[in-house]
Amino acid sequence: MASSILVLGAGMVGTCTALHLQERGMDVTLVDRREPGQETSFGNAGLIQREAVEPYAFPRDVGTLMNALWGRGAQVHWHARGLWQMAGALRRYFNHSHPQAHAQVTEAYSRLIAHATHEHEYWMTASGAQALVKRAGFRFVFRTPQALDEGLQRAMRLNDRFGVRYQAESTQQLTQAEPALRTPLAGAVHWLDPWAVSDPGALVQRYADLFVARGGRLLTGDAASLRSQGAGWSVQTSAGRVEAQQAVLALGPWADGTIRTLGYRFPLFIKRGYHQHYRSPVQLRQPVLDAECGYVLAPMQRGLRLTTGAEFAPINAPATPVQLVKAEALARELLDLGDALPEPPWLGARPCTADMLPVMGPAPRHKGLWFNFGHAHQGFTLGPVAGRLLAEMVHGRRTWIDPAPYAPSRFL
Ligand SMILES: Cc1cc2nc3c(=O)[nH]c(=O)nc-3n(C[C@H](O)[C@H](O)[C@H](O)COP(=O)(O)OP(=O)(O)OC[C@H]3O[C@@H](n4cnc5c(N)ncnc54)[C@H](O)[C@@H]3O)c2cc1C
């Protein structure tokens, strides 16, 4: 009989984990309190970020820190209660962001990112989701020559070290490539390898449909009802209590709450982010990061999606879309944004760890329990890679990437 496993959380990470476990012959039940891909994996910028070989570091220069502290600019916003709650994890995040430590973390992170597009390709083909993706890259646009210069130096460094491809664009080349941009910008770094998905939630749904079409069970249930039962695990679902030999927690930004009930205190925190769609009368050809202002504009099926930077606030605190207001004003300088769609801003939370590496591997103190969360700014990118690595560990075979840097036990 096939060995059985529960996967709790049907975001990009959990859904891909379920697919990979199923492909390895396991009897998999995927459980979520909502439909697949309706939370963080729904509202992101839809980028499969092959260029993001460096995880997002805590800024260490005084100017950026002061701007964040005083709420200047659109990049960062905070609630005092959020900073207070996350203070311990943020302090460790600051330390891990020291250039030497960050370089080490980048080695481990880049090994995951290197496989991101290839691993998505596999599931996009299998699920017939090719029409949702455009493979034409992602632009970082710069307003000032000094920032462009720094951006180009970084691109050169990442190209040398990790082979990430890019094209430098002058003001004129950028205007030709993206005629919708009306402000004369200093230029751009056009990353050539990333892909753009026009409906991120729909991509997760396609992957989940494939899982069900291949015989997987998708049920509604609450991870709070997870219990260790005999030699295995069980969870309460719409189809009653379901038991399995093993379980995976893939709860994205909600993982912390669940693992705390199991006795784990990991340095996890969240960076909230917003999006809003606009009926822009002009067309952006590729997604754009306004690099000095910290927001992304991504063409989506619903309209032009503007996504914001980091908000440090408790996960359930009321929405305070201050950054959205600021970013919208900045975006209107770049192009004719048009009217916002008449819908409230979407709010989600990036699931972050203090050392910027995801948590993937066996739960240190619970037999048959596995963790797969903490993919921060690139969980949509990394879902299939994370799913494969976790499934290979569960299967007990040699993994194709060394899982040691991501082991949950590093936080004990
Ligand atoms: C504004 C913004 C822009 C972003 N842009 C990008 C981008 O362009 N590219 C990129 O790669 N990443 C991006 N990210 C990050 C990315 O969206 C996340 O890293 C990723 O979606 C995390 O996936 P996940 O499956 O771990 O979490 P989720 O997608 O949040 O899935 C977790 C699932 O767990 C379920 N769940 C939670 N609690 C329970 C419970 N008690 N019982 C049952 N189910 C439960 C939820 O319903 C949810 O479906 C962005 C994030 C934000 C906020």
Side-chain angles (χ1 to χ4, degrees):
M1 210 175 81
S3 72
S4 56
I5 190 159
L6 301 166
V7 178
L8 302 176
M12 182 55 95
V13 172
T15 303
C16 291
T17 305
L19 277 167
H20 271 289
L21 290 164
Q22 180 184 54
E23 196 162 69
R24 283 158 185 77
M26 297 191 78
D27 173 12
V28 187
T29 305
L30 179 59
V31 179
D32 201 297
R33 58 187 175 195
R34 301 189 63 183
E35 291 293 305
Q38 288 303 301
E39 292 285 0
T40 332
S41 301
F42 171 87
N44 56 57
L47 286 155
I48 298 178
Q49 289 188 263
R50 176 63 187 87
E51 92 296 347
V53 286
E54 291 183 312
Y56 204 92
F58 197 113
R60 292 176 67 92
D61 67 287
V62 178
T64 310
L65 285 174
M66 290 316 273
N67 283 343
L69 205 60
W70 296 115
R72 288 194 286 259
Q75 268 117 327
V76 176
H77 184 244
W78 49 271
H79 293 194
R81 199 158 65 86
L83 286 187
W84 174 253
Q85 262 184 13
M86 300 178 220
L90 290 178
R91 187 175 43 75
R92 288 172 71 172
Y93 177 30
F94 180 80
N95 292 338
H96 282 288
S97 299
H98 182 278
Q100 255 173 328
H102 187 248
Q104 267 180 19
V105 167
T106 296
E107 289 301 316
Y109 201 70
S110 62
R111 285 199 285 276
L112 301 174
I113 291 285
H115 300 280
T117 46
H118 182 256
E119 294 296 312
H120 264 288
E121 177 74 60
Y122 180 75
W123 295 113
M124 281 173 179
T125 306
S127 64
Q130 302 284 8
L132 291 172
V133 67
K134 208 168 159 192
R135 296 149 211 263
F138 173 30
R139 270 194 184 77
F140 286 16
V141 302
F142 296 90
R143 293 177 179 235
T144 62
Q146 194 200 337
L148 173 64
D149 202 41
E150 284 166 16
L152 287 171
Q153 282 180 29
R154 176 171 179 266
M156 250 182 284
R157 179 170 57 77
L158 297 186
N159 177 261
D160 278 353
R161 177 70 193 84
F162 302 102
V164 198
R165 296 180 313 133
Y166 74 97
Q167 209 168 295
E169 288 174 346
S170 63
T171 304
Q172 205 185 1
Q173 288 164 325
L174 175 57
T175 310
Q176 271 169 11
E178 280 292 9
L181 296 177
R182 60 186 175 194
T183 302
L185 293 155
V189 170
H190 183 187
W191 301 102
L192 301 173
D193 299 318
W195 294 352
V197 173
S198 59
D199 187 342
L203 185 64
V204 181
Q205 185 63 60
R206 291 288 176 90
Y207 289 179
D209 290 346
L210 177 67
F211 167 74
V212 172
R214 289 180 169 185
R217 267 205 298 181
L218 174 63
L219 297 175
T220 307
D222 189 342
S225 64
L226 183 72
R227 299 283 176 268
S228 132
Q229 185 154 335
W233 294 88
S234 76
V235 70
Q236 189 61 37
T237 72
S238 48
R241 189 155 272 278
V242 177
E243 291 174 31
Q245 288 153 327
Q246 303 188 70
V248 184
L249 295 183
L251 298 168
W254 292 276
D256 196 27
T258 302
I259 66 165
R260 273 173 183 270
T261 65
L262 295 166
Y264 297 99
R265 296 278 183 279
F266 288 179
L268 305 178
F269 63 99
I270 54 159
K271 293 181 188 171
R272 303 205 310 181
Y274 297 83
H275 87 218
Q276 182 86 60
H277 291 106
Y278 297 85
R279 284 198 195 97
S280 175
V282 294
Q283 284 286 322
L284 263 189
R285 291 177 180 159
Q286 277 100 41
V288 159
L289 168 76
D290 188 348
E292 286 148 273
C293 301
Y295 66 89
V296 170
L297 290 169
M300 295 268 167
Q301 279 175 9
R302 276 188 71 71
L304 188 57
R305 179 179 288 187
L306 189 160
T307 61
T308 65
E311 183 181 64
F312 296 94
I315 195 161
N316 294 325
T320 47
V322 176
Q323 290 162 290
L324 201 50
V325 174
K326 291 182 183 175
E328 179 183 313
L330 291 161
R332 289 194 188 283
E333 295 171 4
L334 289 196
L335 47 63
D336 186 353
L337 202 54
D339 293 332
L341 257 60
E343 56 189 14
W346 173 86
L347 169 60
R350 301 168 182 93
C352 301
T353 63
D355 65 3
M356 291 161 276
L357 293 175
V359 181
M360 304 189 286
R365 298 194 204 102
H366 293 82
K367 196 164 171 289
L369 184 65
W370 300 83
F371 292 164
N372 203 359
F373 51 77
H375 301 81
H377 288 254
Q378 274 90 36
F380 186 71
T381 299
L382 289 175
V385 174
R388 176 170 167 188
L389 187 59
L390 204 280
E392 287 179 346
M393 283 189 263
V394 172
H395 208 217
R397 299 280 158 85
R398 212 180 124 87
T399 56
W400 104 119
I401 296 172
D402 175 12
Y406 326 107
S409 56
R410 72 189 191 271
F411 288 136
L412 289 188

